[in-house]
Amino acid sequence: MPAPHGGILQDLIVRDALKKNELLSEAQSSDILVWNLTPRQLCDIELILNGGFSPLTGFLNENDYSSVVTDSRLADGTLWTIPITLDVDEAFANQIKPDTRIALFQDDEIPIAILTVQDVYKPNKTIEAEKVFRGDPEHPAISYLFNVAGDYYVGGSLEAIQLPQHYDYPGLRKTPAQLRLEFQSRQWDRVVAFQTRNPMHRAHRELTVRAAREANAKVLIHPVVGLTKPGDIDHHTRVRVYQEIIKRYPNGIAFLSLLPLAMRMSGDREAVWHAIIRKNYGASHFIVGRDHAGPGKNSKGVDFYGPYDAQELVESYKHELDIEVVPFRMVTYLPDEDRYAPIDQIDTTKTRTLNISGTELRRRLRVGGEIPEWFSYPEVVKILRESNPPRPKQGFSIVFGNSLTVSREQLSIALLSTFLQFGGGRYYKIFEHNNKTELLSLIQDFIGSGSGLIIPNQWEDDKDSVVGKQNVYLLDTSSSADIQLESADEPISHIVQKVVLFLEDNGFFVF
């Protein structure tokens, strides 16, 4: 089993256990400055406190931050590719100076740690975006950097009170120390870790077993359950899939543990970071995938990263990483032989192969199409269908545009009455929001539960991000309307028919 990165597992929970009560009293005193951690910061601090980010013992100060951004190293020369920073707004930054003590809380209630400030600095986000994420403004991490993250960073050391509280899957959330002990108790000295943020299917099981066989190692399925790419399948669905897929491995060869990581989707740099983290968790080998941790393509169809950038960068650091890199080998199904095989070992001009892309899988889930057993296990498909129902089971919202002059109340009643007569088990509701954020944020919740909403009034443009776009349709005379009317005072019966036919065309109704 490899030593942790930097030589020592920085388990701050163990280190600070004897002064926990003292730190807790300080955090709950009225004199201390308090910061409520963001979702990303909660992920980061958990991995600092439990040693997953060893050798870090706090959030990066300016010297370490600048060195990581420009050189992929901490100021002392240690390899580290992703800046781990505590971002705050200007008002909070103005209250801080070196040696200030800050109590860091989860959900404004749970004290997690106390930070002793080393410095407060305003980063050059343009340089960070270019150096760490390659500068494309459509990159999700760059969007986060400029639109969500605070303008100031606070560097400093942490003293641990407790890990962030999780109420789901407590038995699967192993810390590095716990996982290392688990491997030792099983006498697993060679472990190949598999990183994923997606559901696993037969091909993933096949490639991990092949990697284990080639490395003469066991398998750690180590999926990310922190923040991933916007639009990814939720982690609850994915964990149910992982719990099912782990049963399909030979007894005693595979172990499942969840990683509370906030991914940055930073491609090659992130692959190196992932390897360091898995080394801290006790893995001796790490599978690096094709376009590992990349966010795909931008709106112009251009890849954010090359397909093998991650493998090449990790390989260039192999002597410092002290973890064996296992390149991801794409496998494909051979229907005539009923088996999977690496695509690079197959002459596809002579041998028939089958595969289903992620896009095609999502389409089949959306329309209720067949997903064959050679691709995925029936139990896995059942889990995915529960969380990704076909269109007739999905929810939707019909939003009345500002140009409509017909009676909005009567049109709402007419649509509700029409929808109810169709049956089908979908819940329908006329939804008034009064442009209140707390009400608008419920729209996607209703849609996600399969409800049909009739929304008589549009919201202000600045609330679009609150509502989202999934299955939200505008009824209006404008050219941008999803359901376009010929005139603002079109007869209600005509409007109802257009709405019904639109919903049928889009698969929400099947007559």
Side-chain angles (χ1 to χ4, degrees), residues 433 435-443 459 463 466-467:
H433 55 77
N435 210 50
K436 293 182 178 179
T437 299
E438 60 270 24
L439 294 177
L440 290 169
S441 65
L442 296 175
I443 291 175
W459 45 85
K463 299 294 178 67
V466 175
V467 177

Side-chain angles (χ1 to χ4, degrees), residues 318-472:
K318 66 179 181 180
H319 297 299
E320 292 183 75
L321 285 172
D322 191 29
I323 185 171
E324 287 286 329
V325 175
V326 181
F328 182 102
R329 300 180 70 190
M330 183 70 70
V331 296
T332 188
Y333 181 66
L334 310 181
D336 298 329
E337 303 176 44
D338 190 26
R339 69 181 180 93
Y340 278 88
I343 190 69
D344 59 3
Q345 296 179 4
I346 302 299
D347 183 350
T348 55
T349 63
K350 299 178 180 178
T351 304
R352 193 161 64 99
T353 65
L354 292 176
N355 192 26
I356 295 177
S357 68
T359 300
E360 174 61 15
L361 174 62
R362 288 189 290 272
R363 187 195 70 80
R364 293 188 186 202
L365 288 170
R366 186 173 64 250
V367 302
E370 179 195 7
I371 300 173
E373 285 196 37
W374 63 259
F375 177 78
S376 194
Y377 299 102
E379 295 83 357
V380 168
V381 173
K382 181 176 182 291
I383 292 167
L384 294 176
R385 289 201 190 280
E386 289 171 354
S387 299
N388 299 270
R391 268 294 170 83
K393 299 294 184 181
Q394 292 179 20
F396 61 82
S397 290
I398 302 298
V399 184
F400 298 177
N402 292 328
S403 70
L404 269 63
T405 58
V406 298
S407 169
R408 293 171 184 265
E409 181 177 1
Q410 290 304 307
L411 179 56
S412 298
I413 294 171
L415 284 172
L416 180 61
S417 300
T418 301
F419 294 162
L420 288 172
Q421 75 179 347
F422 296 147
R426 186 184 278 120
Y427 172 74
Y428 296 102
K429 179 179 179 62
I430 299 172
F431 187 81
E432 297 282 0
H433 55 77
N434 300 318
N435 210 50
K436 293 182 178 179
T437 299
E438 60 270 24
L439 294 177
L440 290 169
S441 65
L442 296 175
I443 291 175
Q444 283 298 329
D445 292 336
F446 274 108
I447 292 173
S449 67
S451 302
L453 295 185
I454 301 159
I455 304 179
N457 295 285
Q458 272 186 271
W459 45 85
E460 294 177 5
D461 291 344
D462 62 352
K463 299 294 178 67
D464 283 346
S465 61
V466 175
V467 177
K469 298 179 180 179
Q470 185 71 29
N471 293 8
V472 176

Side-chain angles (χ1 to χ4, degrees), residues 22 77 117 181 228 270 280 335 454 458 462 485:
E22 177 186 333
V117 176
L181 188 61
T228 59
E270 182 135 351
N280 288 333
I454 301 159
Q458 272 186 271
D462 62 352
L485 303 180

